[in-house]
Amino acid sequence: MKKDNDNEQFLDKKSINSNLTPKEDQEGTNDEYNKLFKKANLDLGTPLHFEEKGSKGIIKLAKYQAKISTILIVLTILLLIVPVLTLCSYLYYGTGNRANDLLDTTKNLIYVTEPNTMLEEGFDTRIGFFSMDANFNTLKRVGKQSLNSEAIKVHYTMKQFSAVERQSKTSIPVSESNKNHFIFPSNNLNFDKNKEWEVLNGLPSGSVAELYISFDDLYSPQEVEHKLPKSIDTLWLAVNSGVENSQNSEQIIPLGYPTHSDTNLFSPFFGAKVAEQGIQPIFLKIVEQLAQRQKLISTFPNYQNTSFSKRLEYIKKNGILTYGIVVTGPSEELKKLKSNKMVRTIKVGEVELWNWHS
């Protein structure tokens, strides 16, 4: 609108000056054109200046919004991935009985390869990304009471053992409690047996103890029960499976079973099962299950060279014969075992104050 007015003024002035000479008229026209051109430049320059400044701000804002959008998209994807992977992990362990298979194998290994060891309760399990953790506590019978022995955490990755953490809850460290304390009759003694008797004789009369006994020969479970005094309790029998005669007996994983049924419903030797099937048939069935899971067990620490199939075959062929046993009782009664001819050597385990009550 302003430009139209300027043009009109320019035309009016031109008509007024029509009586001027051509030269003067030309000069006046040039002056008017110059003024209009300068004014047009000023009018155009101002909006161009502000437009350039505004465009830079718009570009910066667009970049910032793009970064925020990218971050939000990444976070959204991550938030979607976590529950999806968790769901897939639950489906993986929930189908095909995978979780129960791992937990049952762990439980059975403890009952038949760790003398005088029981599970306190069931497993506390946590599912991760295609992994699972099982936490549980073990017990040992000392005297008439079951005492907390270890806190164990087993980590599974996919369908195999990947790590085992043990924390002792007794005075005996884990490295010592997990040793094989039985000596096969034909193997040489790798320690002074008199020192263990000295330890036992040094216990006060008002105490009870856990004792590992190694026999001078192989005996049937019935013979062992008959020849040991009734004043002590038998707990766990070590079974000859054909590999115990190695001179590196400490490196051999012992194989055996508890002599009595368990009151823990979670135990494979629960009272009702034992009453129905018997202890020895349950033991053989467990070893057979472990033999079928040999590949899985080979991933468990310290079990890489343990062949349950060969050991099961030997036991079925030669019958169940024992070369050692775990017992408990008053220390004064345990000291009397030194005169028992079938007792070759002993190893003193846990010791507690008197709790020998009916």
Side-chain angles (χ1 to χ4, degrees), residues 210-225:
E210 172 196 33
L211 200 66
Y212 294 78
I213 299 175
S214 296
F215 299 138
D216 65 335
D217 201 352
L218 297 175
Y219 295 93
S220 68
Q222 293 77 17
E223 288 178 295
V224 172
E225 289 288 343

Side-chain angles (χ1 to χ4, degrees), residues 224-240:
V224 172
E225 289 288 343
H226 178 71
K227 292 185 178 183
L228 288 178
K230 304 301 180 183
S231 56
I232 62 175
D233 288 347
T234 60
L235 300 176
W236 198 87
L237 281 170
V239 176
N240 176 32

Side-chain angles (χ1 to χ4, degrees), residues 79-92:
L79 290 174
L80 289 173
I81 287 175
V82 170
V84 168
L85 288 178
T86 302
L87 178 61
C88 290
S89 300
Y90 273 96
L91 291 174
Y92 175 80

Side-chain angles (χ1 to χ4, degrees), residues 195-306:
K195 287 185 178 180
E196 289 299 320
W197 286 110
E198 289 177 6
V199 172
L200 180 59
N201 290 329
L203 297 180
S205 58
S207 62
V208 292
E210 172 196 33
L211 200 66
Y212 294 78
I213 299 175
S214 296
F215 299 138
D216 65 335
D217 201 352
L218 297 175
Y219 295 93
S220 68
Q222 293 77 17
E223 288 178 295
V224 172
E225 289 288 343
H226 178 71
K227 292 185 178 183
L228 288 178
K230 304 301 180 183
S231 56
I232 62 175
D233 288 347
T234 60
L235 300 176
W236 198 87
L237 281 170
V239 176
N240 176 32
S241 59
V243 298
E244 289 78 9
N245 57 353
S246 169
Q247 290 300 323
N248 296 323
S249 58
E250 284 191 0
Q251 306 300 322
I252 300 296
I253 300 294
L255 188 64
Y257 59 88
T259 57
H260 302 287
S261 61
D262 197 345
T263 57
N264 184 357
L265 182 63
F266 191 72
S267 169
F269 296 95
F270 178 62
K273 295 179 182 178
V274 171
E276 181 182 352
Q277 304 176 36
I279 289 182
Q280 292 184 6
I282 292 176
F283 164 67
L284 292 174
K285 185 177 180 180
I286 289 175
V287 178
E288 185 175 356
Q289 290 173 349
L290 295 177
Q292 293 171 357
R293 292 161 176 78
Q294 185 65 54
K295 185 177 180 181
L296 167 63
I297 294 172
S298 64
T299 63
F300 199 85
N302 302 324
Y303 284 80
Q304 290 84 355
N305 299 320
T306 302

Side-chain angles (χ1 to χ4, degrees), residues 11 18 80 95 98 141 168 177 185 208-209 300 302 315:
L11 293 172
S18 57
L80 289 173
T95 56
R98 291 188 180 95
R141 165 96 181 273
S168 177
S177 64
V208 292
F300 199 85
N302 302 324
I315 294 172

Side-chain angles (χ1 to χ4, degrees), residues 108-168:
N108 290 337
L109 277 175
I110 289 173
Y111 274 91
V112 301
T113 64
E114 298 191 13
N116 188 27
T117 302
M118 304 158 286
L119 266 63
E120 182 179 17
E121 293 177 354
F123 294 97
D124 177 19
T125 58
R126 290 179 174 83
I127 304 294
F129 293 154
F130 295 100
S131 64
M132 181 173 68
D133 289 329
N135 297 275
F136 56 96
N137 295 321
T138 59
L139 304 173
K140 275 184 176 291
R141 165 96 181 273
V142 183
K144 293 294 186 181
Q145 292 183 354
S146 296
L147 307 175
N148 284 325
S149 175
E150 289 183 342
I152 302 177
K153 178 181 180 180
V154 182
H155 183 73
Y156 311 92
T157 302
M158 301 295 284
K159 197 180 178 182
Q160 66 178 13
F161 299 100
S162 56
V164 179
E165 299 176 14
R166 293 176 177 261
Q167 182 180 359
S168 177

